């Protein structure tokens, strides 16, 4: 029979808006009084978001950049929004596979049991399948083809299991099974158990050493490291729960949709979210990651991500210790996560996972990793480890071997949800404007990067705006060529370039006042940058609110206000209780230049529509608006009021994760959605149910309202 899904329509309002933070020109006088140690020449030319750059002559330079830019001249279709992660959660329905050698704590089987509980909600031990019990690879393929195995199953391929006989063909059989799992596109996690720390037997340690490269890493996509956590057999401490959290996070990352370069869709895996306006990542430069622990609580308060500088760690050439250090960084951040984005996992969310920017900076690029031929080969291997660890952002230097770079990008586009930050540092020399533009274009990695970061060197403070203006010019070329428009991060090295860090609105690398030293000369703290931007009016205050009537129960002002406070944004969000929409649109609040948008709830979701300039497709189809967005080209241009409906997304997204369906998938299985209600949110529920391919059944105490829904979206009235 069909599963019956009841969508109970409430009066709550899903709300999402895009703050339109403009970078405006302030006076030299104001700036020089505030921070007299910096140059002010950039005020003469700073025209961010003010249309074409007109203060410097770039037209010929733009033309020359097109000619010289051999790396980005090729066209590609990698930015297509139809690309899908082969492990994407709404369509992936195959077993999870664990491969490796267990220690004394029987770590692989224990981890498998944890995963079964995560995936099914209960401890179904019969869902754990020991690889040695599978008769043959043909048997495995048969079970997969006939859907006898799904993502509630976990296959354990433990080469150190007591039932494995190493005097016969068991090793060859398990190796063949691991290869088949990998080739059949199952999620395979190499569970890298430390030999000595886990008290693994000597033969087991020898097998692990012999098989790690030829079998374990070759036939897996992800990797998780375990030391002595598995020895806590009675779970008397939190050590094993940390392993479970790391596993849950890794699977959540594996299930994410791919990040699409240049996409403006507000998804959970978008550079517009990760590298958005007034976001910061903190550069860690300790030789041992545990040295950062005393500063973690303070550092996590005002940054959006941590930069894991693999090249600065003393363990950088030790595969296990490097990955384990990355896991320890996540463990240290968890209790103090403030600005961590939501990470969805099977209808639930992980809210304490601070994103990581994974960087291997070479000596030529202001780092320490050797940049000879052998060093570059090793650097790409370390970058590969970042992907296997499920990092949020992978920093890829654009200056090195194109073939190796493309191999990394191919993997990202096939199976990893990591975002790529193309980067280049010009150290100790000054480049021309056209060279800087070309560097930005190269950092876009032929349209395959999700962000581009360029760090320049200058000698004259009058050039402290070069990074910003070159970024604007590179974006203009991308627009003309139809290339993805990605965040451009532009900085100037050293104290002389501090002003460039103020002007760089997306994803600025920062230090923290609690740290004993900075990662790079000229780095500022997030607090310093936001304070300076506020003083300069680079982040003008906006007024937001929730419009409705008899809505004193709403927690939106508290929720949104807390978010603004956590991100140091100067905006406000208030309750607007008005009986009549006309009263609101005639108010000072609506007509204020600082009006940034509003949520709309009962009873105004349809009455607000005549007062808007445009509607999104969803709002048109649903016939109701719950979000008003204000868009402006610049401060002098008229505002455009856009009506959107995000109610349906609030319904669709968690149900899609729970049901394993997607409006883009080929899954034709349908259930039944029982929709109770007849207002704007009920229409959003019907729209979401349509996207989920659910049969719709309506009930309302006023039958005519239910019939209206059926007439608009199809379905049956009861």
């Amino acid at each position: 029979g069909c599963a019956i899904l009841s969508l109970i329509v409430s009066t709550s309002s899903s709300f999402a808006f895009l703050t339109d933070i403009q970078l405006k020109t302030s006076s030299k006088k104001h700036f020089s009084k505030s921070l007299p140690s910096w140059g002010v020449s950039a005020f003469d030319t700073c025209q961010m978001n003010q249309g074409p750059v007109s203060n410097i002559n770039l037209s010929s330079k733009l033309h020359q950049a097109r000619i010289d830019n051999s790396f980005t001249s090729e066209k590609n279709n990698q930015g297509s929004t139809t690309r899908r992660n082969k492990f994407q959660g709404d369509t992936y329905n195959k077993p999870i596979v664990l491969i490796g050698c267990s220690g004394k704590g029987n770590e692989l089987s224990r981890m498998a049991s944890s995963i079964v509980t995560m995936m099914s909600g209960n401890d179904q031990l019969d869902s754990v399948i020991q690889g040695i019990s599978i008769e043959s690879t043909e048997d495995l393929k048969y079970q997969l083809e006939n859907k006898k195995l799904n993502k509630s199953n976990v296959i354990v391929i433990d080469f150190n299991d007591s039932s494995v006989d190493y005097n016969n063909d068991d090793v060859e059989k398990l190796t063949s099974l691991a290869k088949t799992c990998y080739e059949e596109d199952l999620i395979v996690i190499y569970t890298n158990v430390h030999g000595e720390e886990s008290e693994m037997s000597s033969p087991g340690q020898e097998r692990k050493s012999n098989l790690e490269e030829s079998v374990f890493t070759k036939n897996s996509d992800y990797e998780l490291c375990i030391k002595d956590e598995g020895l806590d057999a009675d779970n008397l401490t939190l050590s094993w729960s940390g392993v479970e959290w790391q596993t849950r996070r890794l699977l959540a990352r594996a299930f994410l949709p791919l990040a699409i370069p240049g996409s403006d869709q507000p998804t959970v895996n978008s550079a517009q979210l990760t590298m958005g306006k007034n976001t910061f990542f903190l550069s860690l430069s300790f030789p041992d990651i545990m040295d950062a622990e005393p500063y973690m609580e303070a550092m996590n308060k005002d940054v959006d991500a941590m930069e894991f500088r693999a090249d600065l760690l003393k363990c950088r050439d030790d595969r296990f210790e490097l990955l384990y250090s990355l896991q320890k960084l996540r463990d240290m951040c968890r209790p103090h996560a403030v600005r961590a984005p939501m990470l969805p996992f099977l209808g639930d969310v992980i809210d304490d996972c601070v994103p990581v920017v994974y960087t291997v900076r070479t000596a030529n690029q202001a780092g320490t990793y050797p940049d000879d031929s052998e060093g570059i080969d090793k650097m790409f291997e370390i970058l590969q480890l970042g992907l296997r660890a499920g990092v949020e952002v992978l920093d890829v230097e654009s200056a090195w071997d194109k073939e190796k770079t493309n191999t990394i990008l191919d993997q990202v586009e096939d199976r990893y949800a990591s975002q790529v930050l193309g980067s280049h540092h010009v150290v100790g020399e000054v480049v021309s404007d056209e060279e800087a533009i070309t560097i930005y274009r190269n950092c876009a990695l032929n349209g395959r990067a999700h962000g581009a970061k360029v760090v320049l060197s200058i000698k004259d403070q009058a050039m402290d705006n070069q990074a910003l203006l070159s970024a604007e010019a590179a974006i203009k070329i991308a627009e003309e060529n139809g290339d993805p428009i990605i965040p451009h991060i532009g900085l100037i090295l050293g104290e002389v370039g501090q002003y460039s860090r103020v002007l760089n609105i997306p994803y600025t690398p920062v230090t923290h006042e609690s740290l004993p030293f900075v990662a790079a000369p000229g780095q500022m703290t997030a607090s310093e940058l936001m304070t300076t931007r506020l003083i300069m009016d680079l982040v003008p205050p906006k007024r937001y609110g929730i419009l409705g009537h008899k809505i004193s129960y709403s927690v939106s002002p508290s929720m949104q206000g807390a978010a603004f406070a956590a991100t140091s944004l100067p905006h406000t969000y208030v309750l607007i209780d008005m009986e009549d929409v006309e009263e609101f649109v005639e108010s000072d609040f609506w007509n204020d230049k600082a009006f940034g948008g509003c949520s709309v709830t009962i009873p105004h979701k349809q009455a607000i529509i005549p007062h808007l300039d445009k509607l999104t497709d969803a709002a048109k189809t649903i016939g109701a608006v719950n979000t008003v967005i204000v868009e402006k080209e610049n401060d002098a241009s008229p505002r455009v009021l856009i009506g959107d409906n995000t109610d349906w997304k609030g319904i669709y997204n968690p149900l899609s994760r729970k049901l394993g369906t997607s409006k883009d998938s080929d899954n034709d299985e349908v259930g039944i959605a029982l929709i109770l209600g007849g207002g704007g949110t009920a229409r959003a529920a019907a729209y979401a149910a349509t996207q989920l391919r659910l049969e719709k059944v309506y009930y309302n105490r006023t039958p005519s309202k239910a019939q209206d829904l059926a007439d608009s979206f199809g379905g049956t009235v009861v």
Side-chain angles (χ1 to χ4, degrees), residues 433-453:
D433 292 332
E434 53 263 51
E435 288 173 320
I437 295 167
T438 299
I439 291 170
Y440 270 112
R441 296 284 290 152
N442 286 340
C443 285
L445 301 178
N446 200 21
R448 305 175 77 180
H450 303 88
K453 176 189 172 189

Side-chain angles (χ1 to χ4, degrees), residues 415-436:
R415 63 185 62 204
Y416 292 111
S418 299
Q419 296 173 28
V420 173
L421 179 62
S423 68
H424 188 84
H425 289 61
V426 179
V427 183
E429 62 175 307
V430 178
V431 299
S432 66
D433 292 332
E434 53 263 51
E435 288 173 320

Side-chain angles (χ1 to χ4, degrees), residues 20-27 42-43 46-50 468 499 502-503 505 533-542 593 632 634-636:
D20 187 20
I21 300 173
Q22 304 290 337
L23 178 57
K24 301 191 300 182
T25 304
S26 299
S27 67
F43 279 124
C46 176
Q47 296 293 324
M48 186 76 163
N49 290 337
Q50 302 291 324
L468 170 68
Y499 181 54
V502 177
L503 294 183
I505 299 301
R533 291 172 186 175
L534 292 174
I535 291 173
M536 294 171 57
D537 202 26
L538 301 183
V539 188
K542 297 288 185 181
K593 290 183 179 179
K632 295 180 70 174
N634 53 61
D635 287 339

